[in-house]
Amino acid sequence: MTFGLYTLTSPLHDEAAVNAASAAFISEIEKAAGISFDVRGSDFSDYGSHDLDLIYVRTGGTEGLFKEVFPDIGGPIRILTSGKSNSLAASMEIMSYLNTCGCSGEIIHGSTEYIAGRISVLGKVSSALKKLSGSRLGIIGEPSDWLIASDADSRSVYKKLGLTLVNIPISELIEEFGASVSFTPDAAVSKVMEEFGRNAPEPVRKYADGAFRIYAALKTIVARHDLSGFTLRCFDLLDTLGNTGCLALAMLNAEGIPAGCEGDVPALMSMAIGNALTGTCGFQSNPSRIDPEKGEILFAHCTIPLDMVRRYGFNTHFESGIGIAICGDIPAGGATIFKISGDLSRAFCCEAELLRSQSERDLCRTQAVLRLDGTETGRRELCTDYFLKNPIGNHHIVFPGRCKALFDALCENLQSRICEA
C-alpha cells in the first residue's frame, strides 16, 4: 500500500525550522502506522497516484496555495496537520472552503496514535475502492421472486463504486453444466473432495458429481465474463439440475470470489465491499431469530465460505432436502454485520460477538448466534429500530473481526448515508 504526502507551506515561515518540526512529526506517524510516506513536497502533478494521498498543511497562511492546486486534484481531500504554526486554523479554513464547494474532506489531527490509526483505515478504504472500481459483478439468473425489496440501481452502482453489473441468463450455467462432464481439480478442490469422501453422510453422496460440476461451470462463467464476483438464482437449479449451488458457492467464496445466493444483488455488493476491505467474502445469511431483550440474533444459511469455518460437514439443502449444503462451525469471537442498499444510498453496520455455532434441524445448515455490541438498552433498540422496523432486505453479511471503522469510512467516502448503529 502506498501513501503520498503533499505539502503546503507559507513562504512567510522559516523553511529550516518548518522542515525540522515536520520531519519529527512525520517520522512518529510512520513508526506508529508502520508505513513509509512518499513525500512529494509541493509538486501535486501526480496527486491521486497512491493508494492514499494526504495534503500536509504545515503552516498557516496556506489557504491561497490550496485554492490554486484544488482544481487539479479532486477529492475527497484528506488534510494532515500537526497543529503547529497555525496549521490547524488554516486547515479549518480550507475545509470550510471545500464544504462551500460541495466537496468532501477531512482534517486528520490529534495524537500520533489517532492519526496513525486513521491513516491506516483510510488507506485500506482507498485501496478497496480502487480494487472495486472497474470490477464486474455477475447476476446469473434474475433475483429470486421473493426478493421484492432487493433491487439494485446499476447506474448508481457504477457512478459511486465503478462496479459494472452483468446480467447472465441462468441457461448459460445449465448449458455449461452439461458441458463440464469432468474437470481436473486443483489442490484446494481436491482437499474438499477428500473431506467429502471421508465425512459426507450417505443421503448426500449421490449429489457429489453434480455439485462439483456446478462449481466447475460457475468457475468457467466467471472467467468467460471476467467477473470479480456473482450472485446466483440458485433455487432454479433444484428443478433443472436436481442439485444446489451451496457447495460451489462455499468453495468459490473461499477462493476470494464473492459468490452470493438467490440473485440478491445488494447482498453481493455488500460481500464484494467487505472482501475488498477485509479479504473475506463474508457469510450471506438470514436473521432467522431475534431476541430483542438480549440483543441476540441467529443467522443461518446453507452455505458459508470454507475459509471462515474451523471445520465443516455436509447435509442436504434445508428447504428442498436435496443437493449438498454446508454445516459450518464458525470460531467464536468478534464479528461485523454489514449490508448496503441497492442504490448505495443507505448502509447498516454494527459489531457483535459471535457466541456459538449450532445445528438445529429446522433451519438452514450453517447457524451462528451473535450478540450485538453495546449496552443492553442499545442492543434492544438496534434490534427493534433497525432489524424489526427498518431493515435493508433480509440477507445480511457477517464478517469475522470487529471492523466497523473500515465500513463506516468507506460509506462516508461514497458520500452516502453514514452507516447506522
Side-chain angles (χ1 to χ4, degrees):
M1 194 177 300
T2 58
F3 297 83
L5 190 67
Y6 300 79
T7 59
L8 294 176
T9 310
S10 169
L12 298 177
H13 288 259
D14 180 78
E15 185 71 17
V18 172
N19 286 342
S22 298
F25 175 62
I26 295 304
S27 178
E28 290 176 359
I29 295 172
E30 289 179 320
K31 183 178 179 180
I35 64 173
S36 293
F37 284 114
D38 178 15
V39 181
R40 310 303 292 169
S42 59
D43 181 6
F44 283 75
S45 59
D46 65 347
Y47 185 92
S49 62
H50 304 83
D51 289 312
L52 179 66
D53 285 307
L54 301 173
I55 299 176
Y56 177 20
V57 175
R58 304 201 299 175
T59 70
T62 50
E63 297 89 338
L65 296 175
F66 174 81
K67 190 174 180 180
E68 289 179 12
V69 301
F70 174 60
D72 299 322
I73 61 177
I77 304 297
R78 312 295 185 187
I79 299 174
L80 174 65
T81 176
S82 65
K84 295 181 179 180
S85 303
N86 287 325
S87 57
L88 178 59
S91 298
M92 293 176 65
E93 185 71 16
I94 291 171
M95 189 57 57
S96 180
Y97 173 74
L98 286 172
N99 290 336
T100 61
C101 294
C103 298
S104 62
E106 174 183 357
I107 300 171
I108 304 174
H109 174 74
S111 68
T112 300
E113 291 73 21
Y114 171 81
I115 291 173
R118 188 59 181 163
I119 288 175
S120 177
V121 166
L122 292 175
K124 291 177 181 178
V125 168
S126 181
S127 180
L129 289 170
K130 288 186 177 182
K131 179 180 178 181
L132 291 166
S133 182
S135 296
R136 293 160 57 85
L137 297 180
I139 309 169
I140 305 177
E142 297 177 354
S144 295
D145 296 341
W146 48 86
L147 296 180
I148 60 175
S150 297
D151 295 332
D153 183 339
S154 59
R155 290 185 178 181
S156 293
V157 172
Y158 183 78
K159 181 179 179 181
K160 295 182 180 181
L161 275 178
L163 280 172
T164 298
L165 301 179
V166 183
N167 291 296
I168 302 167
I170 194 72
S171 58
E172 184 171 336
L173 172 60
I174 296 168
E175 291 170 6
E176 192 58 46
F177 174 86
S180 61
V181 177
S182 63
F183 72 101
T184 303
D186 59 19
V189 176
S190 295
K191 183 179 179 181
V192 177
M193 296 176 84
E194 291 171 6
E195 183 72 22
F196 185 87
R198 285 193 301 267
N199 298 321
E202 190 58 36
V204 304
R205 288 183 176 272
K206 62 183 178 180
Y207 298 108
D209 177 69
F212 284 107
R213 283 171 61 192
I214 291 171
Y215 162 83
L218 287 169
K219 197 84 180 276
T220 297
I221 289 174
V222 166
R224 177 183 297 149
H225 293 275
D226 190 27
L227 303 178
S228 299
F230 66 90
T231 183
L232 171 65
R233 186 180 169 96
C234 46
F235 276 76
D236 281 13
L237 305 185
L238 300 177
D239 294 329
T240 56
L241 302 182
N243 215 315
T244 65
C246 307
L247 177 61
L249 301 183
M251 295 167 65
L252 290 164
N253 276 309
E255 295 175 16
I257 302 172
C261 310
E262 302 175 37
D264 189 331
V265 184
L268 170 63
M269 294 191 303
S270 303
M271 296 171 74
I273 289 170
N275 178 248
L277 283 173
T278 71
T280 303
C281 293
F283 174 34
Q284 178 185 339
S285 50
N286 296 314
S288 299
R289 190 178 304 144
I290 295 177
D291 186 335
E293 294 178 328
K294 294 182 179 179
E296 294 183 4
I297 303 175
L298 169 59
F299 290 89
H301 233 210
C302 280
T303 185
I304 185 170
L306 295 182
D307 61 344
M308 272 189 69
V309 299
R310 54 188 172 186
R311 54 181 172 268
Y312 61 91
F314 306 94
N315 203 336
T316 55
H317 178 245
F318 168 59
E319 287 92 344
S320 64
I322 67 173
I324 301 174
I326 302 298
C327 313
D329 182 5
I330 312 173
T336 302
I337 304 164
F338 178 68
K339 182 68 177 294
I340 200 162
S341 64
D343 61 359
L344 305 181
S345 66
R346 182 177 172 223
F348 171 83
C349 186
C350 72
E351 294 178 338
E353 182 75 11
L354 199 155
L355 302 177
R356 63 185 180 277
S357 296
Q358 61 183 43
S359 55
E360 294 184 18
R361 296 184 62 181
D362 61 347
L363 287 171
C364 293
R365 306 312 189 184
T366 293
Q367 305 164 21
V369 178
L370 281 75
R371 182 178 62 227
L372 307 181
D373 283 356
T375 64
E376 181 177 328
T377 299
R379 293 196 301 268
R380 182 172 61 250
E381 290 178 350
L382 193 55
C383 285
T384 56
D385 293 348
Y386 173 74
F387 285 101
L388 299 180
K389 291 183 181 178
N390 199 24
I392 303 174
N394 66 335
H395 294 126
H396 285 67
I397 317 303
V398 177
F399 294 91
R402 287 182 168 84
C403 42
K404 184 178 187 297
L406 288 175
F407 288 100
D408 281 352
L410 186 139
C411 291
E412 292 168 6
N413 201 296
L414 292 177
Q415 300 181 45
S416 58
R417 179 174 176 175
I418 295 177
C419 296
E420 302 169 61

